[in-house]
Amino acid sequence: VPALMAGLENDDVNIRRKAAQVLGELGSPAKMADLRLTEALSDEEPKVRRGAAFALGRIDAHAGTAVPGLSNALKDEHADVRLQAAKSLGQFGPQAKTAVPALIVALQDKESAISNAAAFALGQIGPEAKAAVPALIQAMQEGKAGFENEAAYALGKIGPAAIEAVPALMRALTNFNARSRSDAESVLNEIGPRVVPAAKDALQHEDIVVRIGAAYTLAKANGRVRVYAPYLNEALEHEDAEVRARAALALYLIDPEDIASARVSAGTLQ
């Protein structure tokens, strides 16, 4: 390890890069290198900076040393460095709570892989990342590619503090992507009993897709499909084909064995 630490200061960029990579591959036995690796986050070569960010997420580095440096690396001009910094911050879990403001900014990164990694890292931080809930909701509503799943994961790990995300999650419940639906439902389960009153409020939401999700949630929670059927029937008459399809999908998901709902679903989706 001392020799590799010395390699981080070598004039040859390839030696510096390789030293950082090997330290990361060594894992926790290289923990003593955390300060040197943090300093390497400022190296003039992006490959070295990326290698240092990778290593800091692997060596069980001291959070007080590594997290500030990785948070700053989220602003690096090179996307590869920003992406690795976000991934490594996720490795620190709740110990990376001071990185929450920087990760919130990273949710708006122009590179979708980075915004997704930032969302995942916030989920790893858990309830300590509750300040990120509004930003996660906003990013979900912007419809970034693949982001909905990572945002749902983060909100679920944040837990009950994510209650204000209920309308956005209601929308995801009738997504045609099965993973999005599953993740949203898992998050609502994590939030717990407070979801029911929030779902009742969402029945009056201005967005009809949110109303569909709310009716679906309440029917599943209470086992009383008929009580909330009017909200789904309303949507079945909507002029927008996607809205009709989402309502039909919700009916089918509530009770796939129900012949009537299956027939409605088939007819509406045609």
Side-chain angles (χ1 to χ4, degrees), residues 115-134:
S115 57
N116 290 354
F120 183 80
L122 288 164
Q124 293 291 87
I125 293 169
E128 295 286 354
K130 62 183 179 181
V133 171

Side-chain angles (χ1 to χ4, degrees), residues 4 27 40 64 83 88 111 123 127 132 145 151-152 165 167 261-262:
L4 291 168
L83 176 59
S88 290
E111 299 288 342
S261 69

Side-chain angles (χ1 to χ4, degrees), residues 156-225:
K157 292 297 184 180
I158 290 169
I163 187 69
E164 64 188 280
V166 166
L169 293 166
M170 296 292 175
R171 214 177 195 287
L173 280 175
T174 56
N175 194 301
F176 298 111
N177 180 304
R179 184 185 165 191
S180 292
R181 294 199 309 269
S182 176
D183 286 348
E185 194 155 0
S186 295
V187 178
L188 292 168
N189 288 336
E190 289 283 346
I191 293 173
R194 295 171 65 192
V195 163
V196 172
K200 289 181 177 178
D201 289 342
L203 289 172
Q204 307 304 320
H205 198 279
E206 61 181 12
D207 184 341
I208 191 169
V209 179
V210 174
R211 298 200 296 274
I212 294 170
Y216 167 76
T217 300
L218 290 165
K220 291 277 283 186
N222 298 332
R224 294 184 295 171
V225 181

Side-chain angles (χ1 to χ4, degrees), residues 14 44 50 69 75 96-97 110 115 118 123 137 139 153 165 169 182-183 203 220 245 250:
N14 289 317
E44 62 184 16
R50 181 193 175 282
K75 298 181 288 186
K97 63 182 180 180
K110 62 184 179 181
S115 57
I137 296 170
Y153 167 80
L169 293 166
S182 176
D183 286 348
L203 289 172
K220 291 277 283 186

Side-chain angles (χ1 to χ4, degrees), residues 2 10 12 14 18 62 73 75 82 97 99 115 121 173 175 223 228 232 246:
N10 195 285
D12 188 328
N14 289 317
K18 190 63 176 178
H62 184 268
K75 298 181 288 186
R82 300 198 303 276
K97 63 182 180 180
S115 57
L173 280 175
N175 194 301
Y228 303 105
L232 297 171
R246 283 176 181 259

